[in-house]
């Protein structure tokens, strides 16, 4: 490919800015800074095995999970980048108990708030399995120039102006939507640019992959148990072509299913009545991408993006992926 056929993330965002009559480059800047922080985090993730950055940071985050040093690093990098953008007045992050609001005048004038999981799947860091960043962007509802308020973050997923994820895997990709389809960019480290590699991603209506932690089978609700058996059933004369694929890293499992077709389920269990995944910075952004790519995302009954949030770390059961597969899993309710 000639170097002049490359479409970089910044170029793509800028040309698409026209889709946002009210955005005078603000969203463009915000997405640019998210891309910048992703490159910095990517560098550390790629070296994680070499640099003494592995191992517990000695703290536990609000989820009670051991904070790995890379979690802490990623959280700090995205907070710095979002503040520097001047377009973000506050952040809800998995790694902090409360929302972060910026006092600097430029940041307080920002028109957007961001919900982010800086490094999801971080228990996989030490074993070199793909991990990811997940983000969701809303226009603030509070007055510009004032401190961001909690209600700026407790907006339904349908109010998102943009959402995306970065997958730090065999290659590093940024996949995002602003409501006009889904596009994927692969990081070319030799030029330090995210380059358009997966334009207009559409997920297959049906697929052959189901992703769920079957170790929790005994605790699953009946419909989920029935769906797993449905996927495993032997049809006469040919067996069902389903495969079970579960990495234990939402971004990695979702990204594979998005491209190939499949379903990811993290249901409520007897242990976790609301499931494990968080609505604001995992389910809503992934749901936005799933729907924009032609897929579906629910809590087993209700469209995820219609759920009215009550708290920033709220958990919710999550079914997402190919539309026919989500419908089948729900039909067994
Ligand atoms: P389990 C990672 O901690 C995460 O939030 C998702 O990335 C992943 O899909 C899920 O939890 C794995 O949870 O209980 O199956 O280990």
């Amino acid at each position: 490919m000639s170097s002049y056929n490359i479409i970089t993330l910044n170029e793509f965002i800028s040309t698409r800015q026209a889709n946002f009559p009210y955005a005078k480059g603000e969203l463009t800047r915000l997405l640019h800074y998210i891309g910048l922080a992703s490159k910095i985090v990517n560098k550390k993730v790629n070296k994680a095995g070499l640099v003494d950055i592995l191992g517990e940071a000695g703290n536990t985050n609000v989820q009670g999970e051991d904070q790995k040093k890379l979690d802490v690093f990623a959280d700090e990098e995205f907070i710095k980048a979002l503040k520097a953008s001047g377009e973000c007045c506050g952040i809800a992050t998995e790694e902090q108990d409360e929302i972060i609001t910026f006092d600097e005048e430029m940041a307080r004038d920002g028109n957007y708030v961001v919900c982010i999981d800086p490094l999801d799947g971080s228990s996989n860091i030490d074993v070199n399995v793909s991990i990811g960043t997940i983000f969701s962007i809303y226009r603030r509802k509070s007055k510009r120039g004032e401190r961001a308020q909690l209600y700026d973050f407790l907006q339904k997923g349908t109010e998102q102006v943009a959402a995306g994820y970065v997958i730090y895997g065999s290659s590093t990709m940024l996949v995002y939507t602003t409501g006009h389809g889904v596009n994927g960019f692969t990081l070319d480290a030799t030029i330090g640019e995210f380059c358009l590699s997966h334009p207009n991603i559409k997920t297959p209506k049906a697929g052959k992959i189901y992703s769920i932690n079957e170790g929790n089978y005994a605790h699953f609700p009946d419909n989920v148990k029935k769906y797993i058996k449905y996927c495993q059933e032997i049809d006469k004369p040919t067996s069902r072509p389903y495969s079970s694929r579960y990495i234990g890293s939402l971004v990695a499992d979702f990204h594979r299913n998005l491209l190939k077709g499949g379903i990811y389920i993290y249901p409520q269990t007897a242990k976790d009545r609301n499931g494990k995944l968080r609505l604001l910075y995992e389910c809503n952004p992934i749901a936005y991408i799933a729907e924009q790519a032609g897929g579906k995302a629910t809590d087993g009954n209700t469209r995820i993006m219609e759920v009215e949030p009550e708290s920033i770390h709220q958990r919710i059961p999550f079914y997402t992926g190919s539309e026919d597969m989500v419908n089948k899993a729900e039909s067994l309710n």
Side-chain angles (χ1 to χ4, degrees), residues 58-68 71-72 75 92-100 116-118 122 276 278 281-282 311-315:
N59 321 315
T60 56
N61 66 18
V62 65
Q63 320 299 333
E65 294 164 346
D66 290 341
Q67 268 192 314
K68 303 265 181 202
D71 277 352
V72 177
D75 194 40
T93 163
E94 188 206 21
E95 302 297 340
Q96 312 271 340
D97 299 14
E98 310 299 333
I99 60 170
I100 296 170
I116 188 165
D117 187 349
S122 53
K276 174 182 183 182
R278 277 70 63 158
Y281 41 76
E282 290 174 329
S311 65
I312 62 171
H313 298 296
Q314 165 178 351
R315 297 176 191 265

Side-chain angles (χ1 to χ4, degrees), residues 65 94 117 120-124 134 212-213 216 246-251 253 264 266 276-278 282:
E65 294 164 346
E94 188 206 21
D117 187 349
D120 179 72
S122 53
S123 57
N124 292 301
I134 313 171
I212 187 168
N213 184 344
N216 294 326
Y246 191 71
I247 299 170
S249 181
L250 170 61
V251 171
D253 279 315
Y264 171 98
Y266 207 105
K276 174 182 183 182
L277 300 185
R278 277 70 63 158
E282 290 174 329

Side-chain angles (χ1 to χ4, degrees), residues 5-299:
N5 295 343
I6 291 171
I7 299 175
T8 66
L9 175 63
N10 290 343
E11 189 183 339
F12 186 88
I13 298 168
S14 310
T15 52
R16 292 299 179 98
Q17 181 178 283
N19 292 327
F20 285 85
Y22 52 72
K24 298 170 292 296
E26 300 157 333
L27 191 58
T28 300
R29 273 174 62 81
L30 192 49
L31 287 166
H32 163 73
Y33 274 86
I34 289 174
L36 186 59
S38 307
K39 290 184 222 176
I40 294 168
V41 170
N42 175 66
K43 253 177 56 182
K44 285 285 186 187
V45 166
N46 286 350
K47 290 195 305 186
L50 302 174
V51 178
D52 176 29
I53 198 162
L54 294 181
E56 320 309 324
N59 321 315
T60 56
N61 66 18
V62 65
Q63 320 299 333
E65 294 164 346
D66 290 341
Q67 268 192 314
K68 303 265 181 202
K69 290 178 187 171
L70 214 44
D71 277 352
V72 177
F73 174 81
D75 194 40
E76 290 166 358
E77 283 307 311
F78 279 101
I79 292 168
K80 277 192 299 191
L82 290 167
K83 181 193 278 189
S85 74
E87 307 301 349
C88 172
C89 62
I91 302 172
T93 163
E94 188 206 21
E95 302 297 340
Q96 312 271 340
D97 299 14
E98 310 299 333
I99 60 170
I100 296 170
T101 59
F102 296 133
D103 293 325
E104 292 74 4
E105 191 178 335
M106 185 175 85
R108 280 179 75 160
D109 199 37
N111 216 1
Y112 298 96
V113 295
V114 176
C115 303
I116 188 165
D117 187 349
L119 210 56
D120 179 72
S122 53
S123 57
N124 292 301
I125 294 171
D126 293 0
V127 293
N128 207 14
V129 166
S130 302
I131 49 184
T133 297
I134 313 171
F135 63 90
S136 176
I137 302 175
Y138 293 87
R139 286 172 68 82
R140 70 185 302 175
K141 297 175 82 135
S142 55
K143 195 161 171 291
R144 286 187 82 157
E146 295 180 0
R147 183 185 288 273
Q149 300 297 316
L150 181 58
Y151 62 81
D152 287 317
F153 298 88
L154 300 181
Q155 300 185 54
K156 292 201 298 190
T158 47
E159 298 303 304
Q160 294 175 96
V161 292
Y165 59 81
V166 182
I167 177 168
Y168 309 98
S170 47
S171 64
T172 296
M173 275 190 74
L174 188 149
V175 177
Y176 86 98
T177 183
T178 55
H180 299 271
V182 178
N183 292 283
F185 300 78
T186 299
L187 182 63
D188 179 341
T190 62
I191 58 173
E193 292 283 4
F194 279 107
C195 303
L196 182 63
S197 55
H198 295 68
N200 194 26
I201 296 174
K202 289 296 174 198
T203 196
K205 198 164 179 297
K208 301 181 181 178
I209 297 169
Y210 67 101
S211 306
I212 187 168
N213 184 344
E214 294 188 54
N216 294 326
Y217 183 87
H219 304 291
F220 285 155
D222 285 348
N223 71 301
V224 174
K225 289 181 177 176
K226 286 179 194 163
Y227 185 68
I228 291 172
K229 290 305 164 206
Y230 168 79
C231 292
Q232 294 170 344
E233 240 168 52
I234 303 295
D235 267 348
K236 299 292 178 280
T238 56
S239 68
R240 259 181 221 293
Y242 287 76
S243 294
S244 171
R245 292 284 184 275
Y246 191 71
I247 299 170
S249 181
L250 170 61
V251 171
D253 279 315
F254 176 77
H255 183 70
R256 178 202 54 239
N257 293 354
L258 179 74
L259 299 184
K260 291 179 176 282
I263 185 171
Y264 171 98
I265 304 177
Y266 207 105
Q268 69 277 24
T269 66
K271 294 182 294 179
D272 304 307
R273 299 308 304 157
N274 292 313
K276 174 182 183 182
L277 300 185
R278 277 70 63 158
L279 175 61
L280 255 59
Y281 41 76
E282 290 174 329
C283 301
N284 267 331
I286 293 291
Y288 197 13
I289 289 187
E291 290 195 1
Q292 282 289 311
K296 192 170 177 182
T298 72
D299 65 359

